[in-house]
Amino acid sequence: MEDIYRILDVIEDPKKKVLATIIHVEGSAYKKEGSSMLFFEDEKQIGMLSAGCLEIDLAIQAQEVLQKQMVISLQYDMSEETDLAWGQGAGCNGKINILLEPVTEQLHEDLILVKKLLASNKTVSVLKKYESGEYLFIPMDGEPFGRWSGQIPDIDYSMKSGVMGAHPIFQHTYQPKPRLIVFGAGPDAIPLVSLAAETGFSVSVYDWREELCQKKNFPVANQLFVGSPADYMKNISFSYNDFVLIMTHHFQHDQKILLSLINKRICYLGVLGPKERTKRLLMQETIPNWIHSPVGKSIGAKGPVEIAISVVAEMIEVWRKSLLVKE
């Protein structure tokens, strides 16, 4: 998912830092516009902007940015395939423009606010003047904040990341994490929840069995709920950014959950088990094409871990396609 989440997880670290952001790409590259990483004064790094080709030089440049406390932009030509080129034979065939910004006290506080907004399911767009170093965060529902002079240009939250026309301004939109709601806390849900959280989903687990739905089984889950399907289904507010997996292995519970979701507008609905079982859950001979049954990509998966990989791969594909539609 968004690089920004890994950065925001460590943003409150008191050590001095430099934020690196790809603002323009010509041709092909390992990462695209909006990708970012963080460099610390003690040489610790969070994230990557290339396949390892640029990070050593970027770390050197970041130390200079820390010393001078000024914004710089760099261009790397990855199109050469000689060992002397940045691509070092990788053949990425692109030019990458990267903005390096010292994380000042104000930017530090502003990034903490961005973290809170995203956690509240708010979309936030950022503008960066890559010549002067000014920046502005603009929540979809809220007041802009940052360090900005002059007129604020009109923005489109669905616009593809990159430079705004002829202006020396870069725009990128941070989307809230997609929420994955897992109904069922059986052993097969453990690797799935772990992998989904690692790949960027905010995960909630629901089950009526308290002995299964515990933090020790799902340490990376954002929320755990114990109760009957009737109890929690009436208290969940679903949105189009939601992903739902039904995997309680209890026919009546699965049926109640599935039937209550039929008219919900969500991004993804997956039902564990064969198609014939899903037909019986729906009490009909056809399965709507927007219900993923059997759930997961067809990779011949066996066992809970491989099934988790196939399911998360399918969810990532659906999420990426939904973002393309928004752009």
Side-chain angles (χ1 to χ4, degrees):
M1 299 295 170
E2 283 271 15
D3 295 330
I4 193 65
Y5 283 104
R6 295 187 63 194
I7 291 171
L8 294 178
D9 282 341
V10 299
I11 198 59
E12 295 184 60
D13 188 311
K15 291 190 287 291
K16 294 180 180 179
K17 309 176 252 329
V18 171
L19 179 65
T21 306
I22 296 179
I23 59 174
H24 183 64
V25 173
E26 290 183 27
S28 60
Y30 183 72
K31 302 289 283 287
K32 298 300 183 183
E33 289 91 345
S35 301
S36 53
M37 69 180 294
L38 201 63
F39 294 91
F40 287 82
E41 60 180 333
D42 62 0
E43 299 184 357
K44 177 183 175 182
Q45 300 176 13
I46 300 295
M48 295 180 69
L49 293 184
S50 73
C53 313
L54 304 179
E55 281 68 18
I56 293 176
D57 187 71
L58 282 171
I60 295 172
Q61 301 289 346
Q63 291 302 316
E64 183 176 349
V65 169
L66 277 177
Q67 292 172 11
K68 297 182 178 179
Q69 285 295 295
M70 62 182 295
V71 174
I72 65 170
S73 59
L74 306 167
Q75 184 181 83
Y76 294 93
D77 188 346
M78 308 285 285
S79 59
E80 295 294 332
E81 296 192 0
T82 67
D83 286 338
L84 296 177
W86 291 113
Q88 296 182 345
C92 291
N93 197 33
K95 293 180 181 179
I96 305 174
N97 289 68
I98 298 174
L99 185 70
L100 296 179
E101 306 167 83
V103 179
T104 61
E105 183 176 342
Q106 182 178 356
L107 179 54
H108 177 265
E109 295 302 317
D110 288 339
L111 286 171
I112 291 175
L113 180 52
V114 170
K115 181 178 181 179
K116 292 178 180 177
L117 288 167
L118 291 173
S120 301
N121 205 35
K122 304 291 186 182
T123 297
V124 181
S125 196
V126 61
L127 302 180
K128 296 179 185 285
K129 291 182 181 179
Y130 50 87
E131 291 183 350
S132 67
E134 293 180 306
Y135 66 89
L136 190 69
F137 294 105
I138 309 176
M140 184 174 286
D141 298 309
E143 293 298 318
F145 56 96
R147 188 171 67 87
W148 192 267
S149 63
Q151 184 178 357
I152 300 174
D154 294 330
I155 65 167
D156 180 354
Y157 289 93
S158 65
M159 188 187 87
K160 186 177 179 180
S161 301
V163 177
M164 299 180 69
H167 303 288
I169 299 174
F170 168 79
Q171 178 189 343
H172 178 68
T173 298
Y174 300 124
Q175 299 286 349
K177 281 187 177 183
R179 180 174 63 163
L180 170 61
I181 299 170
V182 180
F183 292 109
D188 55 344
I190 293 175
L192 192 148
V193 168
S194 177
L195 184 58
E198 185 178 351
T199 52
F201 288 87
S202 173
V203 188
S204 299
V205 182
Y206 290 78
D207 201 289
W208 70 96
R209 298 162 292 191
E210 188 174 359
E211 68 275 14
L212 296 180
C213 197
Q214 296 188 30
K215 196 67 176 178
K216 67 178 183 180
N217 294 331
F218 302 98
V220 296
N222 297 83
Q223 294 177 311
L224 299 174
F225 295 91
V226 178
S228 69
D231 291 335
Y232 45 66
M233 287 307 295
K234 64 183 179 183
N235 293 318
I236 302 175
S237 178
F238 294 94
S239 76
Y240 184 70
N241 286 335
D242 286 336
F243 288 65
V244 177
L245 287 172
I246 302 175
M247 50 189 304
T248 74
H249 301 286
H250 185 288
F251 187 88
Q252 284 75 23
H253 285 347
D254 282 358
Q255 188 173 58
K256 288 179 181 178
I257 295 167
L258 179 58
L259 294 179
S260 68
L261 289 169
I262 289 297
N263 295 319
K264 302 293 185 183
R265 188 171 179 265
I266 57 179
C267 192
Y268 177 96
L269 175 58
V271 183
L272 194 70
K275 283 187 175 182
E276 290 305 315
R277 181 178 185 273
T278 302
K279 290 178 182 179
R280 288 192 289 118
L281 291 172
L282 291 167
M283 297 180 290
Q284 60 187 47
E285 288 302 311
T286 59
I287 301 173
N289 57 13
W290 52 270
I291 295 178
H292 296 263
S293 176
V295 70
K297 301 288 289 183
S298 181
I299 60 173
K302 295 182 179 180
V305 175
E306 291 186 6
I307 291 173
I309 292 171
S310 73
V311 173
V312 173
E314 184 173 69
M315 293 193 301
I316 291 173
E317 181 181 45
V318 171
W319 177 241
R320 294 298 184 207
K321 287 181 178 178
S322 75
L323 292 179
L324 288 175
V325 169
K326 292 176 184 178
E327 292 179 355

